[in-house]
Amino acid sequence: MRGDLSAICRVLREKDRFLIACHENPEGDAIGSELALALALRKMGKTATVLNADPVPANLLFLPGADTVVFTEDGSKYDVAVVLDCGSPERTGRVGQELRKCPLLVNIDHHRTNGDLGELSLVDPDAAATGLLIHRVLSAMGYEIDLDVATNIYVAILTDTGSFHYGSTSPEAFEVAGEMVRRGVDPWAVAEQVCETQSANRLRLLGRVLDSLEVSADGRVACITTMREDLREFASGKDALEGFINYPRSIVGVEVAVSFRDEEGGICRVSFRSKGRVDVSAVAARFGGGGHRNAAGCTVPGTLADVKKRVLEALAAVLP
Ligand SMILES: [Mn+2]
């Protein structure tokens, strides 16, 4: 763990106006961490604005505080900006400029690729979720975690550990999840909201995307591809694709799954999931992206065919 927990606690205790942000296309850990911190700060009598570049995914709208997330800045002044779960400054997208206007930037994250943006940082690549770092901060402050904050922390852990499947699932992840259950979180009620609330169209989109499945000759790499037309046809946003990549990864013998999505403006979004041995964050980093050992991504300029070829070649070169 790098950074200064006590200095961050001091700032949270002493300052009053907070701007909280995360990476683009946020998922459970990013949103859960933001809301847990924002709700706790508000309970302490402070103002906390959660400003995001992209909407809260539909399956996370039930999270306490999700209705308070804003998407455009209103000219407010802040004492401190806190950026969460964000491995690099570029990944904050268009809210990055608002963060830079704040006199003090605090960076709390668990990405190995985090370059310690900000004056104060707490970065622990061994933490299973940024939500666990929020828990460490709130605990160090002696903050009594209520059910609303607990629900957000629980979802951050649940989603970033792949429902406690991934190798990153530490004793701390189980311990804190257990503590959140003791504080009133209902695991099935939360799982039902997070995992069992998809639309019929999303399932149809999954069918289309799975049709694109390609498996390498040696059976170790599997990829899926989503076209912009697919999203249009099934009236879905890109957040609907969250989790699709787990299907190619689940194939016996596959070590790395890759998802390609073509975007406006001649760029492709590439996501990687590895079963363990291959460090996909290193491959993503070669294309200007980042992430974790087992989950990473990058945005690559070029046509879909060209990007696919380059990425799969780079991947083949690092397979053991
Ligand atoms: Mn995370």
Side-chain angles (χ1 to χ4, degrees):
M1 182 166 89
R2 316 195 289 275
D4 193 344
L5 181 62
S6 56
I8 290 176
C9 292
R10 197 172 331 117
V11 164
L12 296 181
R13 216 177 273 123
E14 288 172 1
K15 303 292 183 181
D16 285 314
R17 298 170 303 172
F18 294 86
L19 176 64
I20 301 173
C22 68
H23 55 77
E24 294 177 291
N25 304 321
E27 19 60 336
D29 187 28
I31 300 278
S33 298
E34 285 184 310
L35 294 176
L37 181 61
L39 292 174
L41 288 169
R42 289 172 196 158
K43 275 263 167 67
M44 296 175 204
K46 298 156 187 294
T47 61
T49 301
V50 178
L51 173 66
N52 282 356
D54 294 299
V56 178
N59 66 333
L60 299 176
L61 284 170
F62 79 101
L63 285 174
D67 55 336
T68 66
V69 177
V70 299
F71 305 97
T72 47
E73 60 86 31
D74 61 0
S76 297
K77 295 268 182 293
Y78 303 97
D79 304 318
V80 185
V82 187
V83 58
L84 300 173
D85 197 43
C86 195
S88 69
E90 310 83 63
R91 289 213 60 212
T92 54
R94 61 183 173 81
V95 305
Q97 57 191 50
E98 288 313 306
L99 297 174
R100 282 188 289 275
K101 284 183 198 161
C102 297
L104 185 64
L105 181 62
V106 176
N107 161 33
I108 301 176
D109 184 34
H110 67 137
H111 291 86
R112 209 162 286 281
T113 47
N114 193 294
D116 288 333
L117 64 154
E119 283 79 24
L120 282 176
S121 65
L122 181 65
V123 176
D124 186 356
D126 295 322
T130 297
L132 290 170
L133 302 179
I134 298 299
H135 178 265
R136 286 185 208 168
V137 169
L138 295 180
S139 301
M141 293 176 77
Y143 180 82
E144 182 69 27
I145 292 174
D146 59 27
L147 179 57
D148 285 352
V149 171
T151 302
N152 279 294
I153 291 177
Y154 184 86
V155 165
I157 302 166
L158 180 74
T159 53
D160 248 26
T161 58
S163 302
F164 305 100
H165 286 191
Y166 301 155
S168 61
T169 314
S170 56
E172 183 190 23
F174 286 109
E175 281 153 15
V176 175
E179 183 195 328
M180 298 305 105
V181 172
R182 266 196 301 278
R183 291 183 186 276
V185 171
D186 176 343
W188 169 245
V190 168
E192 195 177 11
Q193 292 281 352
V194 173
C195 311
E196 314 238 337
T197 49
Q198 65 178 331
S199 65
N201 256 357
R202 180 173 181 268
L203 209 59
R204 293 188 186 104
L205 174 66
L206 173 63
R208 170 66 54 82
V209 172
L210 289 183
D211 240 2
S212 73
L213 177 69
E214 296 166 79
V215 182
S216 65
D218 63 3
R220 296 200 292 166
V221 177
C223 67
I224 52 173
T225 304
T226 308
M227 308 301 294
R228 262 173 294 166
E229 303 84 78
D230 299 334
L231 293 179
R232 255 200 307 273
E233 184 177 337
F234 296 103
S236 299
K238 54 193 174 186
D239 62 302
L241 301 169
E242 177 78 29
F244 281 11
I245 194 171
N246 298 337
Y247 291 95
R249 192 193 53 198
S250 72
I251 299 169
V252 61
V254 163
E255 294 190 31
V256 179
V258 194
S259 154
F260 296 95
R261 176 167 57 80
D262 78 327
E263 284 204 348
E264 308 282 345
I267 54 171
C268 294
R269 180 68 197 166
V270 187
S271 302
F272 302 90
R273 294 291 183 278
S274 132
K275 271 183 187 156
R277 287 202 297 162
V278 183
D279 179 4
V280 287
S281 70
V283 182
R286 287 190 46 187
F287 294 92
H292 305 289
R293 189 178 168 81
N294 298 138
C298 52
T299 301
V300 186
T303 64
L304 193 57
D306 163 60
V307 171
K308 244 182 181 174
K309 185 167 176 291
R310 282 160 53 209
V311 167
L312 292 177
E313 275 171 7
L315 190 56
V318 302
L319 279 179

